[in-house]
Amino acid sequence: MAHLINSDVFLAFSTYATIVVLKMIFMSFLTAYYRITEKAFSNWEDTGTASKDPEERKKMLQTNPNVERVRRCHQNDLENIVPFVVIGLLYALTNPDLSTALWHFRVFVGSRFIHTVSYVMAIPQPSRALSWMVGLLTTFSMAYRVLTTALFL
Amino acid sequence: MAHLINSDVFLAFSTYATIVVLKMIFMSFLTAYYRITEKAFSNWEDTGTASKDPEERKKMLQTNPNVERVRRCHQNDLENIVPFVVIGLLYALTNPDLSTALWHFRVFVGSRFIHTVSYVMAIPQPSRALSWMVGLLTTFSMAYRVLTTALFL
Amino acid sequence: MAHLINSDVFLAFSTYATIVVLKMIFMSFLTAYYRITEKAFSNWEDTGTASKDPEERKKMLQTNPNVERVRRCHQNDLENIVPFVVIGLLYALTNPDLSTALWHFRVFVGSRFIHTVSYVMAIPQPSRALSWMVGLLTTFSMAYRVLTTALFL
């Protein structure tokens, strides 16, 4: 890595942030998979790959519970992974202890994988609620360090 | 903070970015609060905490105006705070004047708090539109400095 | 730019990230334009600018296909531009070859402009699908370099 960034904490942040963002991108493919297999599209021009018959195509402009479930999971990723990336980047620059930082990143990324599985497979609560909360707690812990180290209002 | 980041402008950016991202996370809790008090859920597995009766649970899979309002506010946060964080970070690295930078960050973060209150409490327009526009103008102003300082196509 | 960031690759990233984020912000204005011209709002307080008659205002609380189309495009931007910005920033810090980096940034940003035009004008597939995929492939290519250069688990 460039001379700018040569700390192990920053390398760890780069690794975990990239992994969890790739996981988030995966939700797009899962949405596309369900849209195609469930024949449930939002755009007229998307139905042409599934059928040429205008009547059938019109019926495909529908909402589907599996598609909507994946989309809600994707939205929850945006709402939680974006804060992690922003606060995690600033946290990585506060020179935290390496093993403390690693555990923050690992717990967050692990919690988001568990959250996705819980959501997409509709595993009974509180599995999804707990994984969501664990991810938020690691974000809050990093935010606390950023604000106590860098506060400048 | 680490040796990499020792400018006051960067500390100020870290502080305000963390505060406004925490405000965005708060919207998740507000959504959860309204979902529980209004008994309006999106997922079957979420209704189990409110009732055990399958008929009652089915009725809770509904949309509710208060829940939808908070969700729109959260979405607007994503659409506006993400650009602020990205452009603000690059702006902080252009070595701007400290007091100019501070006012950009303060006005943006203040405008988003006013926007949230205006949205959630449904205060008559143009309060929400104005607070949205003020936040965008500070983002545009920072983007202008980034592009005039760093332009490399 | 500040002493921290004086590499051409970082300047190029700053330029393209700012441009593509500004493009994303433009979707908010396009949504507002369609909401006003199509008289399709989500909030009661927003209808007051279009009419004073309560009956007419009630009718304006409707969904409209043009508004929804722009909103889906905006959402797709969030789902794809956020990963580009995060992974692109980390990629820019891995000290990549300047011309390789430039082409990654150019292809991504170009693909998102084509995606927006394809989406908003409802150009037949696979134009939108292809532009979406090209943008993702540049993101994956940058993620590959970040993970092979910075892997620290």
Side-chain angles (χ1 to χ4, degrees), chain A residues 4 69 72 75 125 128, chain B residues 2 4 15 43 45-46 75:
Chain A
L4 294 169
R69 181 173 280 277
R72 286 195 297 273
Q75 183 70 12
Q125 292 281 23
R128 195 183 93 231
Chain B
L4 294 170
T15 303
N43 301 294
E45 67 267 27
D46 300 355
Q75 183 70 12

Side-chain angles (χ1 to χ4, degrees), chain B residues 4 69 72 75 79 82-83 86-87 90 93-94 119 122 125 128 132-133 136 140 143 146 150-153, chain C residues 1-2 4-5 8 10-12 14-16 18 21 25 28-29 42-43 45-46 74-75 78 82 85 106:
Chain B
L4 294 170
R69 181 173 281 276
R72 286 196 298 275
Q75 183 70 12
E79 292 168 5
V82 167
V86 174
I87 291 172
L90 300 173
L93 298 174
T94 63
Y119 214 148
Q125 292 281 23
R128 197 184 91 229
W132 172 72
M133 186 48 70
L136 276 184
F140 289 152
V146 171
L151 195 72
F152 193 110
L153 286 164
Chain C
M1 278 208 142
L4 294 168
I5 305 297
D8 286 346
F10 199 85
L11 293 180
S14 300
T15 303
Y16 285 99
T18 302
V21 168
I25 292 175
S28 294
F29 289 93
S42 299
N43 301 295
E45 67 267 28
D46 301 355
H74 199 168
Q75 182 70 12
L78 274 171
V82 167
V85 166
R106 285 170 185 157

Side-chain angles (χ1 to χ4, degrees), chain A residues 53-117:
Chain A
D53 178 36
E55 280 309 304
E56 272 190 59
R57 288 175 70 179
K58 209 172 275 181
K59 278 185 213 147
M60 291 180 196
L61 293 176
Q62 58 181 344
T63 57
N64 173 278
N66 287 331
V67 173
E68 295 308 307
R69 181 173 280 277
V70 174
R71 290 182 64 223
R72 286 195 297 273
C73 183
H74 198 168
Q75 183 70 12
N76 195 279
D77 269 358
L78 275 171
E79 291 167 5
N80 288 274
I81 292 175
V82 166
F84 166 78
V85 167
V86 174
I87 291 172
L89 172 72
L90 300 173
Y91 169 79
L93 298 174
T94 63
N95 217 7
D97 178 59
L98 176 61
S99 90
T100 311
L102 272 171
W103 281 110
H104 277 83
F105 303 153
R106 285 170 185 156
V107 169
F108 180 85
V109 174
S111 78
R112 294 311 300 180
F113 275 93
I114 295 172
H115 181 271
T116 301
V117 171

Side-chain angles (χ1 to χ4, degrees), chain B residues 87-108:
Chain B
I87 291 172
L89 173 71
L90 300 173
Y91 169 79
L93 298 174
T94 63
N95 216 8
D97 178 58
L98 175 61
S99 91
T100 311
L102 272 171
W103 281 110
H104 276 83
F105 303 156
R106 284 169 186 158
V107 169
F108 180 84

Side-chain angles (χ1 to χ4, degrees), chain B residues 11-153:
Chain B
L11 293 180
F13 171 73
S14 300
T15 303
Y16 285 100
T18 302
I19 290 170
V20 81
V21 167
L22 290 175
K23 190 224 77 65
M24 185 166 80
I25 293 176
F26 168 72
M27 304 313 290
S28 295
F29 289 93
L30 201 59
T31 303
Y33 169 79
Y34 277 117
R35 283 201 183 285
I36 291 164
T37 54
E38 304 274 1
K39 298 188 192 284
F41 300 96
S42 299
N43 301 294
W44 173 255
E45 67 267 27
D46 300 355
T47 59
T49 47
S51 171
K52 295 295 160 208
D53 177 36
E55 280 309 305
E56 272 190 58
R57 287 176 69 179
K58 210 172 275 178
K59 278 184 214 149
M60 292 181 198
L61 294 176
Q62 59 181 342
T63 57
N64 172 278
N66 287 331
V67 172
E68 296 308 307
R69 181 173 281 276
V70 174
R71 291 182 63 223
R72 286 196 298 275
C73 183
H74 199 169
Q75 183 70 12
N76 194 279
D77 269 359
L78 275 171
E79 292 168 5
N80 287 276
I81 291 175
V82 167
F84 166 78
V85 166
V86 174
I87 291 172
L89 173 71
L90 300 173
Y91 169 79
L93 298 174
T94 63
N95 216 8
D97 178 58
L98 175 61
S99 91
T100 311
L102 272 171
W103 281 110
H104 276 83
F105 303 156
R106 284 169 186 158
V107 169
F108 180 84
V109 174
S111 77
R112 294 311 299 179
F113 275 93
I114 295 171
H115 181 272
T116 300
V117 172
S118 307
Y119 214 148
V120 173
M121 303 188 68
I123 293 173
Q125 292 281 23
S127 55
R128 197 184 91 229
L130 278 182
S131 58
W132 172 72
M133 186 48 70
V134 166
L136 276 184
L137 288 177
T138 54
T139 306
F140 289 152
S141 167
M142 296 191 297
Y144 176 77
R145 182 173 164 94
V146 171
L147 288 181
T148 50
T149 316
L151 195 72
F152 193 110
L153 286 164

